């Protein structure tokens, strides 16, 4: 796997924007301060959210919290249609505003807080939400804000939802540190299968290993190796769910060289052994 990082447009404080964007085959992992709602209008491929790697297809609807690494990599397209998505960004400060402290918006605030791991919604009929989101790409000001509230109302009524990433992988980082932390994410995803080394990761930020470990823990609330382990487990979980490969093979493909360690960390993070986890998909 090879992933590329990308710096993208980030709305300023209290601003909102919706855009229809093409999906690229050269995936670009990135993170940003604001919330993001991503809706796939055409195409399919591979999605990365935090430590989760899974597939996506038309109608895929995902809500992301601030500072969560993610990308959508297009691998296939519909006949005569390029892969596209509608991306909606809104300020990370929205849940701290006086307006959102109203009792009527309590469920919306709870939903936004849950999105720190990435939330995938099961949509039975995507025509309704698609029409709203497409309309928002043409709106500004109060008209846009009203439609955004309509989207929130739609989301809180969707009972079937899936947490994509493990809480261990979330980054509670300050905005000024995004570029540095993104460089570390890039190194991890590009080397996760071949082997991630602390010394090499520290060198990415021109730091000594001990200083790098303190910096990463301070900025992300978890150690560097904890983050690496959750990314590896995310890769393994996808392979267990979507392939018939032997667990031993999956152990090595996800970057582990010891089956006992793999089983231990997988159960610690996922709450199930690899074999029990696989059974839930059979």
């Amino acid at each position: 796997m090879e992933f590329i990082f990308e710096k993208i447009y980030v709305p300023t404080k209290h601003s909102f924007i919706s855009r229809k964007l093409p999906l690229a085959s050269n995936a670009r992992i990135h993170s940003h301060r604001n919330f993001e709602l991503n809706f796939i209008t055409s195409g399919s491929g591979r999605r990365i959210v935090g430590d989760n790697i899974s597939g996506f297809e038309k109608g895929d609807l995902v809500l992301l919290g601030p500072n969560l690494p993610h990308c959508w990599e297009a691998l296939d397209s519909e006949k005569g249609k390029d892969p596209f998505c509608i991306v909606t960004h809104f300020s990370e400060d929205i849940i701290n505003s006086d307006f959102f402290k109203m009792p009527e918006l309590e469920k919306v605030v709870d939903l936004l807080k849950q999105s720190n791991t990435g939330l995938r919604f099961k949509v039975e009929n995507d025509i309704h939400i698609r029409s709203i989101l497409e309309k928002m790409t043409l709106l500004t000001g109060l008209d846009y804000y009203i439609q955004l509230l309509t989207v929130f109302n739609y989301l809180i009524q969707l009972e079937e939802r899936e947490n994509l990433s493990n809480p261990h992988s979330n980054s509670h980082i300050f905005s000024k540190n995004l570029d540095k932390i993104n460089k570390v994410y890039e190194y991890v995803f590009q080397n996760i299968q071949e082997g991630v080394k602390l010394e090499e990761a520290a060198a990415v930020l021109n730091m000594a290993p001990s200083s790098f470990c303190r910096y990463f823990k301070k900025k992300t609330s978890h150690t560097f190796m904890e983050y690496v382990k959750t990314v590896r487990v995310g890769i393994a979980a996808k392979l267990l769910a979507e392939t018939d490969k032997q667990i031993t093979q999956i152990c090595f493909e996800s970057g582990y060289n010891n089956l006992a360690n793999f089983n231990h960390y997988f159960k610690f993070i996922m709450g199930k052994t690899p074999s029990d986890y696989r059974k839930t998909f059979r």
Side-chain angles (χ1 to χ4, degrees), residues 6-9 17-24 30 32 36-43 56 70 72 74 82-89 133-134 137:
E6 177 185 30
K7 295 179 67 176
I8 65 168
Y9 170 86
I17 188 170
S18 292
R19 296 174 296 168
K20 193 169 183 179
L21 299 173
L23 289 164
H30 55 271
H32 42 69
E36 176 179 316
L37 183 65
N38 192 299
F39 179 76
I40 304 298
T41 60
S42 62
F56 72 84
H70 59 277
W72 273 252
D82 292 328
F84 264 89
C85 65
I86 299 176
V87 178
T88 299
H89 286 140
L133 293 173
E134 287 188 334
T137 63

Side-chain angles (χ1 to χ4, degrees), residues 2 13 106:
E2 181 177 356
K13 188 176 181 180
E106 182 178 351

Side-chain angles (χ1 to χ4, degrees), residues 237 240-241 266 270 272-281:
L240 287 165
F266 191 95
M270 303 301 293
K272 297 180 180 180
T273 64
S275 58
D276 287 340
Y277 181 83
R278 168 169 271 174
K279 288 176 183 177
T280 63
F281 295 90

Side-chain angles (χ1 to χ4, degrees), residues 7-136:
K7 295 179 67 176
I8 65 168
Y9 170 86
V10 178
T12 56
K13 188 176 181 180
H14 301 309
S15 66
F16 314 89
I17 188 170
S18 292
R19 296 174 296 168
K20 193 169 183 179
L21 299 173
L23 289 164
S25 58
N26 56 332
R28 295 182 177 272
I29 304 172
H30 55 271
S31 59
H32 42 69
R33 294 190 303 274
N34 33 43
F35 290 95
E36 176 179 316
L37 183 65
N38 192 299
F39 179 76
I40 304 298
T41 60
S42 62
S44 60
R46 177 169 52 189
R47 173 185 58 225
I48 298 174
V49 174
D51 58 26
N52 175 271
I53 302 177
S54 51
F56 72 84
E57 58 185 13
K58 179 182 176 182
D60 191 72
L61 181 63
V62 172
L63 178 64
L64 304 172
N67 304 321
L68 187 59
H70 59 277
C71 76
W72 273 252
E73 179 187 22
L75 300 177
D76 197 12
S77 59
E78 297 178 55
K79 187 176 181 180
K81 292 184 179 180
D82 292 328
F84 264 89
C85 65
I86 299 176
V87 178
T88 299
H89 286 140
F90 47 97
S91 171
E92 71 279 10
D93 294 324
I94 190 172
I95 58 176
N96 297 321
S97 66
D98 290 338
F99 179 75
F100 273 76
K101 293 178 182 178
M102 297 172 57
E104 292 81 0
L105 294 176
E106 182 178 351
K107 290 184 178 180
V108 175
V109 173
D110 288 341
L111 183 72
L112 293 176
K113 290 180 178 180
Q114 293 174 35
S115 71
N116 65 346
T117 60
L119 286 175
R120 177 184 178 273
F121 299 90
K122 184 175 181 181
V123 181
E124 295 294 342
N125 184 354
D126 64 7
I127 297 177
H128 177 60
I129 186 63
R130 176 172 179 166
S131 64
I132 297 174
L133 293 173
E134 287 188 334
K135 183 178 181 181
M136 288 172 65

Side-chain angles (χ1 to χ4, degrees), residues 172-190:
H172 306 291
I173 57 180
F174 304 106
S175 58
K176 66 180 180 180
N177 300 117
L178 277 173
D179 287 344
K180 287 186 176 180
I181 296 299
N182 277 348
K183 290 179 181 179
V184 179
Y185 290 153
E186 177 183 17
Y187 167 77
V188 171
F189 275 97
Q190 289 184 347

